[in-house]
């Protein structure tokens, strides 16, 4: 977007099924970027949400890949990234977390804090990403609100500071008490939740008259929270000690306006970013950005490959020639796009916090930095320890060209890690994944997008360790170990199990065998 309005850049994260894509859509609906929710929220009749665009996502009703949406709201420009909840895709979610300034964490009111949610909370804490908590699905029976606050405090050690408090227990969502003003905001359902939910602000007196005991209980609990010091404190929130909490029903568009306002008022704007060499790029320094995601197949008609870059500093102008840090080569940015799910529209300018799509930028890989002026390189995005391995061959040998092209693209996107060795040859690379659903995505995309169905044959390995050329040479003759190379040059030694790793370390104490960060559940 071509103006200087303030930016808010955040990710929506949680355990699968908590309602991230539904909330993403509700936010877009509320900001009036879409006029009707794409999801017809009936069971079995669910159309895809704006952010779930892959065929596989539509068929299964889960998000498989992250989706970026940029839209205007009030006097702000919002950059939102909807992430997949499934732990098999957590590498994608973690990459997104390197590109945002805050996170909206969804909690399913009926389920409390689920494993993947807890894990993501920890990642945010580690990276210093402030977290806003949304208790979702309040339209359905669930845990008591105070109990949920206890769970947040005990299980993740963040102090919850609710900004709104539900009026009506889970399953009887009448509205919220806005704690700052003490007002009642009453929500009204619309048919199927397809349009913005009307809301009415009422004074406490009106609320008592209308809602009686239910209102009084909310007031009591609100006072209890206040007495306990559970009020919002901006500094502590930004320091990662507290989390503002809101109650919502994404499906019915309840609580969505309050969340948008919260994001504008309290979520942090883009800030200075450290580079690998220990320096810092200030927001108003010269232009720089890094690629956190590469995706193709967004549009079956054009085989576009899109690199998603987060602008870190400076102003981006379309057509600008930037430097690609990895190769030192100049790079022309003629085809910069704003992204809204799968829709692209060309942009002339972008500011820090914006996520831009660079079309057919073949040179760009996940983690790459581009810049103008003083050289800068941002830290690489993490890759995880794969735990599942399979050899991959073209089902139809006559389609080997398509096969190679597809595998190369899959590799560049980081859908799985692609490993090769002289022994196995190029016809039969090994795919390495954090979770087996990643294999299914590869199978589906190779068949439909690249017209080269594949055969996968699972290998017995479950452990990968980083080694080097020397280690590879030593391990070449060792039984139960195989060394392959990733396209970034990294040598990975694969082992059947942990015992084999231990035994090998004992027998060859001098070689490098380094654990990779754990990814999956
Ligand atoms: N009752 C109720 N159902 C909801 C609400 N929000 C989402 N759902 C339903 O929960 C299911 C999952 O919603 P999604 O938005 O796809 O969940 P998600 O978190 O994006 O899931 P993944 O991307 O697969 O991790 C869908 O059937 C939604 O209609 C809500 O507020 N109330
Ligand atoms: Mg989703």
């Amino acid at each position: 977007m071509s103006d200087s309005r303030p930016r808010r850049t955040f990710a929506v994260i949680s355990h699968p099924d908590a309602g991230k894509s539904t909330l993403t859509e509700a936010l877009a609906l509320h900001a009036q970027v879409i006029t009707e929710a794409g999801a017809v929220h009936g069971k079995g009749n669910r159309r895809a949400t704006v952010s779930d665009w892959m065929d596989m996502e539509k068929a299964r009703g889960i998000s498989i890949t992250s989706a970026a949406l940029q839209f205007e709201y009030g006097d702000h420009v919002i950059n939102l990234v909807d992430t997949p909840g499934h732990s098999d895709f957590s590498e994608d979610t973690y990459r997104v977390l390197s590109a945002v300034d805050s996170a909206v964490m969804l909690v399913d009111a009926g389920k409390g804090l689920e494993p993947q949610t807890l894990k993501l909370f920890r990642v945010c804490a580690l990276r210093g990403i402030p977290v806003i908590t949304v208790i979702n699905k309040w339209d359905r029976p669930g845990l008591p609100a105070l109990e949920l606050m206890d769970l947040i405090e005990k299980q993740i050690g963040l102090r919850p500071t609710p900004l709104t408090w539900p009026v009506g227990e889970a399953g009887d969502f009448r509205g919220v008490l806005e704690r700052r003003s003490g007002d009642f905001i009453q929500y009204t359902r619309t048919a199927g939740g397809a349009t913005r939910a009307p809301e009415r602000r009422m004074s406490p007196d009106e609320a008592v008259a209308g809602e009686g005991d239910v209102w009084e209980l909310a007031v009591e609990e609100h006072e209890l929270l206040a007495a306990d010091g559970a009020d919002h404190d901006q500094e502590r929130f930004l320091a990662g000690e507290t989390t503002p909490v809101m109650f919502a029903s994404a499906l019915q568009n309840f609580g969505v306006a309050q969340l948008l306002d919260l994001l504008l008022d309290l979520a942090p704007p883009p800030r200075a970013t450290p580079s690998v060499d220990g320096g810092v790029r200030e927001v108003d320094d010269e232009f720089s950005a890094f690629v956190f995601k590469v995706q193709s197949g967004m549009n079956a008609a054009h085989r576009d490959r899109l690199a998603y870059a987060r602008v870190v500093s400076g102003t981006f102008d379309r057509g600008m020639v930037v430097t690609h840090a990895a190769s030192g080569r100049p790079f022309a940015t003629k085809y910069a796009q704003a992204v809204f799910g799968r829709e692209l529209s060309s942009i002339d300018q972008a500011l820090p916090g914006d996520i831009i799509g660079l079309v057919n930028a073949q040179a760009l890989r996940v983690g790459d930095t581009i810049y103008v002026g003083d050289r800068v390189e941002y830290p690489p995005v993490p890759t995880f320890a794969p735990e599942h391995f399979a050899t991959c061959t073209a089902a139809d040998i006559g389609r080997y060209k398509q096969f190679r092209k597809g595998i190369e693209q899959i590799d560049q996107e980081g859908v799985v890690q692609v490993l090769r060795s002289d022994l196995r040859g190029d016809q039969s690379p090994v795919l390495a994944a954090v979770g087996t659903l990643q294999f299914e995505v590869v199978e589906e995309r190779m068949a439909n997008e690249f017209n080269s169905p594949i055969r996968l044959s699972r290998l017995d390995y479950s452990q990968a360790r980083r080694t080097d050329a020397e280690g590879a040479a030593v391990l070449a003759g060792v039984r139960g170990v195989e060394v392959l190379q990733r396209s970034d040059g990294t040598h990975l030694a694969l082992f059947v199990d942990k015992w084999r790793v231990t035994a090998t370390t004992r027998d060859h104490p001098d070689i490098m065998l380094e654990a990779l960060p754990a990814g999956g559940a």
Side-chain angles (χ1 to χ4, degrees):
M1 309 225 163
S2 60
D3 54 57
S4 58
R5 280 182 283 183
R7 264 53 178 176
R8 290 293 181 266
T9 305
F10 61 93
V12 185
I13 55 178
S14 77
H15 197 82
D17 235 32
K20 294 175 291 298
S21 300
T22 310
L23 178 73
T24 296
E25 186 169 75
L27 291 169
L29 183 70
H30 196 86
Q32 295 184 300
V33 210
I34 55 175
T35 52
E36 192 172 321
V40 175
H41 302 291
K43 276 218 176 90
N45 189 23
R46 178 171 176 256
R47 271 200 280 134
T49 51
V50 275
S51 47
D52 285 346
W53 46 262
M54 277 186 143
D55 291 344
M56 227 174 127
E57 300 187 314
K58 287 183 201 157
R60 295 183 184 216
I62 65 168
S63 301
I64 284 172
T65 174
S66 54
L69 271 68
Q70 187 182 59
F71 55 88
E72 302 169 26
Y73 181 67
D75 56 354
H76 282 64
V77 174
I78 305 240
N79 289 277
L80 181 173
V81 192
D82 178 26
T83 64
H86 201 291
S87 64
D88 284 14
F89 306 123
S90 50
E91 224 166 9
D92 185 4
T93 301
Y94 284 38
R95 286 179 202 142
V96 169
L97 285 174
S98 67
V100 296
D101 301 312
S102 60
V104 170
M105 173 74 77
L106 256 64
V107 174
D108 183 328
K111 296 191 176 145
L113 293 170
E114 300 175 90
Q116 194 62 10
T117 305
L118 287 171
K119 232 175 102 181
L120 290 164
F121 256 121
R122 273 184 230 117
V123 175
C124 290
L126 221 63
R127 302 228 186 128
I129 301 169
V131 174
I132 293 156
T133 304
V134 172
I135 310 287
N136 191 33
K137 305 199 182 181
W138 199 255
D139 59 298
R140 287 214 310 222
L143 301 170
L146 284 173
E147 192 178 323
L148 285 162
M149 297 308 103
D150 265 356
L151 289 177
I152 293 175
E153 182 135 22
K154 289 213 180 85
Q155 294 189 12
I156 57 176
L158 273 182
R159 189 87 215 266
T161 55
L163 298 177
T164 64
W165 196 250
V167 177
E169 60 182 4
D172 176 28
F173 198 5
R174 304 182 187 191
V176 292
L177 186 165
E178 186 183 66
R179 295 192 64 218
R180 186 166 41 93
S181 62
D183 286 350
F184 174 43
I185 297 167
Q186 186 188 47
Y187 299 136
T188 307
R189 299 175 76 128
T190 62
T195 51
R196 281 167 74 151
E199 43 185 68
R200 222 178 108 202
R201 180 179 286 273
M202 285 186 241
S203 70
D205 289 344
E206 287 173 288
V208 175
E211 308 295 337
D213 289 353
V214 174
W215 169 256
E216 277 170 358
L217 180 65
V219 173
E220 238 171 68
E221 291 182 336
H222 152 62
E223 284 167 355
L224 215 67
L225 290 167
D228 200 30
D231 291 336
H232 176 72
D233 177 321
Q234 185 67 5
E235 242 169 72
R236 295 190 65 202
F237 161 52
L238 295 181
E241 295 168 20
T242 65
T243 177
V245 179
M246 323 214 73
F247 288 79
S249 164
L251 188 65
Q252 295 178 345
N253 302 308
F254 290 0
V256 177
Q258 285 72 35
L259 177 60
L260 272 172
D261 290 341
L262 183 167
L263 285 161
L264 302 201
D265 291 347
L266 308 179
R271 45 182 178 173
T273 303
S275 56
V276 266
D277 59 10
V280 161
R281 197 86 158 188
E282 298 293 335
V283 169
D284 52 10
D285 283 348
E286 280 178 293
F287 169 76
S288 69
F290 69 91
V291 177
F292 65 95
K293 179 183 171 73
V294 172
Q295 173 93 55
S296 76
M298 299 177 68
N299 186 335
H302 322 274
R303 283 280 132 71
D304 284 345
R305 174 183 186 276
L306 199 67
Y308 293 72
R310 141 114 198 192
V311 180
V312 174
S313 62
T315 302
F316 170 83
D317 290 303
R318 187 153 61 107
M320 200 175 204
V321 177
V322 301
T323 305
H324 176 221
S327 64
R329 294 225 179 91
F331 174 83
T333 55
K334 211 161 30 174
Y335 303 110
Q337 307 279 321
V339 187
F340 189 81
R342 69 193 307 185
E343 283 168 39
L344 304 178
S345 52
S346 66
I347 45 159
D348 293 322
Q349 213 171 56
L351 293 184
D354 283 344
I355 287 164
I356 54 177
L358 298 166
V359 178
N360 291 334
Q362 300 301 341
L364 297 183
R365 304 272 186 280
V366 170
D368 282 1
T369 301
I370 48 176
Y371 65 90
V372 164
D374 290 340
R375 185 173 195 285
V376 62
E377 198 165 358
Y378 295 108
V381 296
T383 56
F384 289 154
E387 289 172 14
H388 304 274
F389 304 86
T391 58
C392 171
T393 47
D396 174 357
I397 211 69
R399 294 186 171 276
Y400 182 61
K401 226 179 94 187
Q402 289 91 327
F403 173 79
R404 243 185 47 189
K405 203 170 155 226
I407 292 294
E408 193 192 330
Q409 178 62 34
I410 297 280
D411 188 11
Q412 287 179 6
E413 287 183 27
V415 178
V416 287
Q417 296 178 33
V418 178
L419 313 179
R420 294 189 172 84
S421 68
D422 291 343
L423 214 61
R424 288 187 182 272
D426 240 12
Q427 271 91 338
S428 156
V430 170
L431 308 187
V434 171
T436 52
L437 267 182
Q438 287 173 269
F439 289 146
E440 291 183 40
V441 174
V442 176
E443 279 182 310
E444 155 105 12
R445 290 188 57 189
M446 286 299 289
N448 298 328
E449 196 180 321
F450 300 101
N451 285 314
S452 170
I454 52 167
R455 273 206 204 96
L456 289 179
S457 157
R458 294 293 297 272
L459 295 168
D460 241 1
Y461 306 122
S462 70
Q463 300 285 318
R465 295 289 184 277
R466 196 200 315 262
T467 185
D468 51 17
E470 276 168 37
V474 173
L475 293 174
V478 178
R479 252 182 350 120
V481 190
E482 180 175 352
V483 181
L484 294 117
Q485 211 170 359
R486 232 162 44 187
S487 47
D488 66 358
T490 307
H491 289 87
L492 289 187
L494 311 188
F495 301 84
V496 177
D497 52 33
K498 279 199 178 128
W499 291 275
R500 184 66 67 177
V501 180
T502 314
T504 310
T505 314
R506 195 188 50 222
D507 296 346
H508 304 278
D510 297 335
I511 63 168
M512 168 185 174
L513 281 180
E514 208 178 86
L516 298 141

